[in-house]
Amino acid sequence: MRTLGHWIVALIIAAIVAWMVWTSSDLQTCRQGMTVGASFYDSLLESRRCLGEYARANAAEILAIFTVILGVAIWLMWRATRALVSETRVTGDALVATNRSLAEATQATAEAAKRSAGIAEQVLIATQRPWVTFTVELAGTLAFDGAGASIPLKIGTENIGPTPAVAVLAHPVIFCQEKQPFKAVDVIKRRSGDFNTAGRLGHTLSKGEQFSEVKTAGMGLEEYEGMSVISPFILVTVKYRLTFSDETRMAAKLYSLVRTDPVYQAQSVVMQPGNSVQPDRLNLVLIGSYAD
């Protein structure tokens, strides 16, 4: 529509110029002097001669008219160019916005797919992974010697998950010094982190399979040296791997080792270092557990 308007303006200007030239008195006077009854070719030659004389006589006016026409043409070209630049800018901005929206949508789709894959993996692991649980029983005397203290424990592990657990390893420790305030889960995570299973062989537990073993928990003399009474804790950590992943999972329980006094039918968490205590005078009280 804008181009059609430009053409209309150009035609109007051309018509005005043609009308001004054709109706000029000099050109009409020259035409009136043309031979009456002359042939078409002679009339054409006479008209050309009249136009030539008119052009020579009015050269300045014709130059001014064409200057005006050239100015109008340049103005129209400028308008058209400006409109084209504006349309190009608008189109470019729209294209950039479209590409940006497409990129954002693509990124959002990729992130959603990644989250879905992560959720699917978590569901797979949660429903198909092994779950190892265990029990702990006292299997001997709390004994003291010149190097420290130790106590044997019977640890029974069982896989209640649908797939096998491999490299199952149990690790018991006994200690009596711990930072306060005492938070069982924090203690379990920190002390279980010291149990490194790399390079160590363990057993495999299939679905529903159980395994029992006796392991000794020990602590060095420096743990209670200089103390007149102690309140021991026992931590048992079981670590294992999944068959379809290299991830290591863990189950752990933290107990307080208490002394049972059959006379008063009460329990005492206070013991004297150096005095061995028989298993029938001891008991394990669960104070915290953790599994991942």
Side-chain angles (χ1 to χ4, degrees), residues 134 171 173 175 178-179 181-195 233-239 250-256 285-292:
F134 65 94
H171 178 66
V173 293
F175 58 95
E178 189 51 63
K179 295 182 293 185
F182 189 100
K183 293 184 178 180
V185 174
D186 293 343
V187 173
I188 290 173
K189 289 182 178 180
R190 175 166 43 80
R191 288 188 175 267
S192 295
D194 297 334
F195 174 33
F233 298 96
I234 291 179
L235 172 64
V236 179
T237 303
V238 176
K239 292 188 176 182
M250 179 183 80
K253 294 180 181 179
L254 179 63
Y255 298 90
S256 176
V285 177
L286 182 66
I287 58 175
S289 63
Y290 175 82
D292 61 12

Side-chain angles (χ1 to χ4, degrees), residues 122-278:
Q122 292 175 3
V123 171
L124 174 65
I125 292 175
T127 57
Q128 298 301 317
R129 59 161 287 185
W131 289 92
V132 174
T133 62
F134 65 94
T135 59
V136 180
E137 298 177 7
L138 295 172
T141 301
L142 173 62
F144 293 88
D145 56 29
S150 62
I151 185 170
L153 302 170
K154 182 180 179 181
I155 303 172
T157 52
E158 179 183 4
N159 179 15
I160 61 174
T163 55
V166 298
V168 182
L169 283 167
H171 178 66
V173 293
I174 183 171
F175 58 95
C176 58
Q177 295 188 37
E178 189 51 63
K179 295 182 293 185
Q180 299 296 330
F182 189 100
K183 293 184 178 180
V185 174
D186 293 343
V187 173
I188 290 173
K189 289 182 178 180
R190 175 166 43 80
R191 288 188 175 267
S192 295
D194 297 334
F195 174 33
N196 187 2
T197 61
R200 301 180 63 179
L201 298 178
H203 55 276
T204 298
L205 290 177
S206 299
K207 178 182 178 181
E209 188 176 359
Q210 300 179 0
F211 180 80
S212 181
E213 60 184 332
V214 175
K215 286 196 169 184
T216 299
M219 65 177 172
L221 178 63
E222 68 279 359
E223 183 74 20
Y224 59 89
E225 189 174 16
M227 301 174 64
S228 59
V229 292
I230 59 174
S231 300
F233 298 96
I234 291 179
L235 172 64
V236 179
T237 303
V238 176
K239 292 188 176 182
Y240 57 97
R241 293 202 315 270
L242 285 60
T243 54
F244 51 85
S245 171
D246 289 334
E247 293 181 79
T248 298
R249 297 302 178 112
M250 179 183 80
K253 294 180 181 179
L254 179 63
Y255 298 90
S256 176
L257 181 62
V258 299
R259 180 178 175 181
T260 302
D261 189 337
V263 176
Y264 298 101
Q265 298 297 315
Q267 294 178 333
S268 172
V269 295
V270 176
M271 302 177 191
Q272 292 180 335
N275 296 330
S276 297
V277 184
Q278 298 299 316

